[in-house]
Amino acid sequence: MNDTFVTLHGWVGSEVTFRDPQGISVANLRVASTPRLKRDGRWFDGETTWYSVTAWRQLADNVRDSIRKGDAVIVHGRLRTDTWERADGQSSTTLCIEASMIGHDLARGTSSFQRTVRTERTESDVDAQADALNRQEPPDLEGFDSFGNPVRSSEEEPGSTPGYTAA
């Protein structure tokens, strides 16, 4: 797979939107990144690039609870482009990042880490079924060797196909 992964630092430019469709958490936010450039011994701001960032599952839950508009962040993830037609008929392209990591940029401020507490798994019907399957007697495997190959019975002729009777 030829995916492009990027790491960028910038500022959160929108409130985090959070959804939980079909039980899978997803968080979306916009991040602006403006490079600092030096020309003729003077520093100035380059052109700002906006990214649409999507986080899934546990990362989405943590982003919802931790990231706010205006925060300095570092984002790492898979880059893709989304091309679409605007209402005025012109084509537009959005840079999208499917994030695998998002965190506060500690070069620009402080943060406090709190480990996510995972809920204890209780024994469910699936666990009980799996346990029952593990404890049941194996099916009758006579006629097969340990590799799953058919074993010829003493009544079959050498060279014949096991279980096959010629008409």
Side-chain angles (χ1 to χ4, degrees):
M1 197 179 291
N2 294 325
D3 290 329
T4 301
F5 287 86
V6 295
T7 301
L8 65 101
H9 62 89
W11 300 89
V12 178
S14 68
E15 293 298 334
V16 174
T17 59
F18 180 80
R19 299 177 285 126
D20 193 4
Q22 301 168 350
I24 299 173
S25 302
V26 60
N28 294 292
L29 61 147
R30 299 273 291 157
V31 175
S33 181
T34 305
R36 292 288 293 163
L37 306 170
K38 187 175 183 179
R39 284 204 190 124
D40 301 325
R42 297 182 56 198
W43 288 95
F44 65 97
D45 288 338
E47 188 174 328
T48 299
T49 304
W50 285 91
Y51 298 89
S52 293
V53 179
T54 302
W56 295 90
R57 296 176 180 76
Q58 186 65 52
L59 179 58
D61 294 338
N62 292 342
V63 166
R64 174 198 60 210
D65 297 339
S66 304
I67 304 295
R68 301 288 172 256
K69 181 178 180 179
D71 287 356
V73 293
I74 298 175
V75 178
H76 177 80
R78 183 177 297 128
L79 177 69
R80 64 179 174 81
T81 57
D82 204 5
T83 304
W84 47 281
E85 190 173 312
R86 299 186 324 205
D88 62 5
Q90 292 187 12
S91 180
S92 189
T93 300
T94 302
L95 295 172
C96 303
I97 298 175
E98 185 177 323
S100 54
M101 291 180 265
I102 300 175
H104 287 113
D105 183 352
L106 297 181
R108 304 187 192 286
T110 62
S111 187
S112 177
F113 180 78
Q114 183 177 357
R115 187 175 301 273
T116 303
V117 178
R118 294 185 180 191
T119 57
E120 285 294 319
R121 260 182 64 164
T122 59
E123 187 170 316
S124 67
D125 292 337
V126 174
D127 293 332
Q129 289 173 358
D131 189 46
L133 285 172
N134 287 334
R135 294 177 190 275
Q136 83 181 41
E137 290 294 318
D140 183 18
L141 295 177
E142 284 186 31
F144 294 94
D145 65 13
S146 60
F147 297 104
N149 299 317
V151 176
R152 185 175 306 122
S153 70
S154 58
E155 301 165 1
E156 294 176 0
E157 295 179 22
S160 68
T161 304
Y164 175 77
T165 308

